[in-house]
Amino acid sequence: MKTKSILPRTRAYRIGFSAILILFFSVAWAHGQGLVQVSHDPYTDPLAQHATEVEPLLVANGDTIVSSLQVGRFFGLGGDNIGWATSKDGGKTWTHGFLDGITLVAGGTWTAVSLPTVAFDRKHHTYLIASEPFDDQGNGRGVLVSRSQDGLKWSEPIVAYSSLGTFGHWLACDNSASSPFYGNCYDAVYDYATGVNLNELVTSNDGGLTWDNPVPAPDQTAGLVTSMAVQPNGNVVVLGRNGGPNGDQEYAIRSVDGGQTLEATADIATIFFIYPFMRADPSLTSGVDAEGTIYVVFPDCRFRSNCSDPVAASICRFVTDNSSCTTNDLVLTTSKDGVIWTSPQRIPIDPVNSSIDHLIAGIGVLSEPKDHAELAVTYYYLPNGLTCQPNTCQVSAGFISSPDGGRSWHDAKKIAGPMMESWLVPTSAGEMVANYNSAFVVHGQPYGAFAIARSPNPKTGRFHEAIYVRRLTNETE
């Protein structure tokens, strides 16, 4: 089923890139040994910025790894299309392509699309990519889902949720055979169409072919959805930020009946976040271990001096004397039930008085039963984040792991960089790599997906920002 826009088409570009493209090359660049480029932007739409790819996520089943990504970023909302990259041999070689039927460049009706999230439904052996389309007035119009049995051939989009105004969503599936809701897939949506901020959940129990009517959360002060955790007992926990009456809470909303109802919002922590010059928010990333413990990571400055007033600390970056400025760490909190959460603990990537700013995290959790869950956290960071200005800020990608559920941590490793922030695609919210990050465990080995940029072409100004994947080890250089 294809979506039908209620607004007229404003552009008519289509490019025949639904054909599969094979990549067998790796890239060694700026401390990026082991990075494999898995996709590139083929479009030439003059209204978008090329060549740009951002916002990758990973999911895996056996030797198959699938990444979703956003292609051809606009300065305003979304991009030209959603892409996919798939490895059938555990990350050695990759195939990539682009979804049909969503945007104008790919035979669809929508002006732009954003926020691709990918999941695997083990019961129905189906890979799903969910995304949010935009009309030509800049309104998010719901959630579309594309399906694949093999990660290579993708269906036309199916409407999972329809609205006149949505802003953010997240997709997840229940893959625990012991769960009473095994095979359910869920998409949590933030909807503003009625003038009331509302989180709603839609559910599919047939591999994404059909979706039930939306179930609203009782709390209308909940904010943007940025992750979702599904526990082995079937409980679903929607995670987001900017919740609470003051808009300053990281929050959780639980369902214990397979998405039929949503419980009241539980506050996780108050947000203490210093906004950098680039595009970055205090979004949550989550993972679940075999015992059902939920691990949530987000950027936060609470362990740093000068953090009591994040607004003032952010403003101080614009002044010459930055002695009162501060930067963000990554912090970890856990929950057994999605309602009661531990106090955030600092992830010790570097000293608490360092000048490095840590942003946009992704967490992977080893799912096999063990005495202590193994955690893998990927992130971006600004090595000169305390003192840099937009034209001098540097951006790198990093990785840190814990062998015992966050009780101790290995030394952090650089994945790639530094990139100059000016190499990244600009948006209305700042230069962009992603609104979220991704780490995923494949056969006990963590992998990360990253948007990595090189210097734009000096003659044409064309960007060089693409998606790279690498296997993560504690020996990463």
Side-chain angles (χ1 to χ4, degrees):
M1 178 168 57
K2 186 183 293 186
T3 60
K4 298 295 183 182
S5 175
I6 63 173
L7 295 166
R9 299 188 184 199
T10 57
R11 296 181 287 128
Y13 304 102
R14 187 171 185 179
I15 189 166
F17 279 93
S18 59
I20 294 173
L21 305 176
I22 309 293
L23 297 177
F24 293 106
F25 56 91
S26 63
V27 174
W29 163 80
H31 292 279
Q33 289 79 5
L35 285 167
V36 178
Q37 184 176 343
V38 300
S39 183
H40 68 268
D41 174 5
Y43 295 110
T44 57
D45 172 9
L47 299 183
Q49 302 174 95
H50 302 285
T52 60
E53 294 182 325
V54 296
E55 217 153 58
L57 282 182
L58 292 175
V59 73
N61 174 56
D63 287 330
T64 299
I65 309 172
V66 178
S67 176
S68 60
L69 51 114
Q70 184 182 152
V71 186
R73 178 71 201 191
F74 292 105
F75 180 79
L77 292 166
D80 254 344
N81 203 2
I82 300 303
W84 55 267
T86 298
S87 173
K88 306 293 284 188
D89 54 12
K92 296 176 183 176
T93 59
W94 291 79
T95 303
H96 82 124
F98 305 91
L99 299 180
D100 285 327
I102 299 176
T103 54
L104 297 171
V105 300
T109 59
W110 299 109
T111 301
V113 64
S114 188
L115 297 171
T117 55
V118 62
F120 177 68
D121 177 354
R122 182 172 291 119
K123 180 177 180 179
H124 302 98
H125 197 88
T126 302
Y127 299 91
L128 307 173
I129 294 178
S131 57
E132 179 178 337
F134 293 94
D135 62 28
D136 58 6
Q137 301 300 309
N139 297 305
R141 297 301 297 269
V143 175
L144 303 179
V145 173
S146 300
R147 306 171 66 251
S148 175
Q149 298 295 310
D150 59 5
L152 300 173
K153 304 178 190 68
W154 294 85
S155 72
E156 292 280 307
I158 293 167
V159 178
Y161 184 93
S162 181
S163 172
L164 293 176
T166 53
F167 189 61
H169 76 103
W170 201 266
L171 173 71
C173 294
D174 187 335
N175 289 324
S176 176
S178 61
S179 165
F181 312 111
Y182 176 50
N184 276 9
C185 290
Y186 307 94
D187 202 286
V189 188
Y190 180 75
D191 196 316
Y192 60 85
T194 64
V196 176
N197 296 336
L198 190 65
N199 283 123
E200 295 194 292
L201 189 71
V202 290
T203 303
S204 172
N205 60 11
D206 57 8
L209 276 171
T210 61
W211 295 80
D212 294 340
N213 291 329
V215 173
D219 182 3
Q220 297 182 356
T221 65
L224 305 178
V225 178
T226 68
S227 190
M228 187 160 28
V230 183
Q231 295 178 288
N233 64 2
N235 289 352
V236 181
V237 182
V238 178
L239 299 156
R241 63 178 177 86
N242 294 351
N246 298 317
D248 60 356
Q249 294 294 307
E250 309 280 20
Y251 70 87
I253 302 173
R254 186 176 68 169
S255 173
V256 298
D257 54 11
Q260 296 181 53
T261 61
L262 293 171
E263 295 181 347
T265 300
D267 289 338
I268 298 174
T270 300
I271 297 172
F272 290 98
F273 180 72
I274 308 301
Y275 281 86
F277 289 112
M278 69 178 289
R279 181 179 182 132
D281 294 303
S283 296
L284 301 91
T285 177
S286 67
V288 182
D289 69 16
E291 303 302 318
T293 299
I294 305 171
Y295 300 83
V296 165
V297 172
F298 56 92
D300 187 277
C301 70
R302 70 184 61 226
F303 294 98
R304 303 251 175 173
S305 59
N306 302 320
C307 180
S308 58
D309 187 345
V311 174
S314 296
I315 293 174
C316 84
R317 296 184 181 213
F318 292 90
V319 301
T320 303
D321 178 11
N322 54 25
S323 59
S324 62
C325 295
T326 192
T327 55
N328 300 290
D329 296 303
L330 298 183
V331 300
L332 170 71
T333 178
T334 66
S335 177
K336 297 289 188 181
D337 59 6
V339 177
I340 300 173
W341 295 83
T342 61
S343 297
Q345 69 176 67
R346 181 177 181 270
I347 299 177
I349 296 172
D350 41 48
V352 71
N353 60 351
S354 78
S355 61
I356 299 173
D357 205 359
H358 309 84
L359 309 162
I360 315 174
I363 187 171
V365 180
L366 187 63
S367 59
E368 288 83 359
K370 288 201 170 188
D371 292 338
H372 302 294
E374 296 182 18
L375 311 180
V377 178
T378 55
Y379 55 94
Y380 292 94
Y381 62 99
L382 308 183
N384 59 344
L386 187 63
T387 59
C388 73
Q389 296 294 310
N391 61 339
T392 62
C393 286
Q394 299 174 344
V395 183
S396 293
F399 159 68
I400 191 169
S401 64
S402 168
D404 51 14
R407 294 174 180 82
S408 64
W409 296 86
H410 296 293
D411 291 339
K413 303 296 180 180
K414 179 188 288 186
I415 297 298
M419 308 172 275
M420 295 305 299
E421 186 177 318
S422 59
W423 298 356
L424 306 176
V425 62
T427 74
S428 56
E431 283 74 20
M432 183 176 185
V433 287
N435 289 318
Y436 41 74
N437 203 345
S438 180
F440 205 87
V441 178
V442 183
H443 290 318
Q445 177 65 57
Y447 283 74
F450 305 90
I452 302 295
R454 300 187 187 187
S455 176
N457 186 304
K459 294 182 179 179
T460 66
R462 187 175 175 87
F463 290 95
H464 292 284
E465 187 170 4
I467 302 306
Y468 294 75
V469 173
R470 75 150 296 153
R471 184 171 61 89
L472 304 170
T473 73
N474 291 314
E475 287 72 45
T476 301
E477 298 263 333

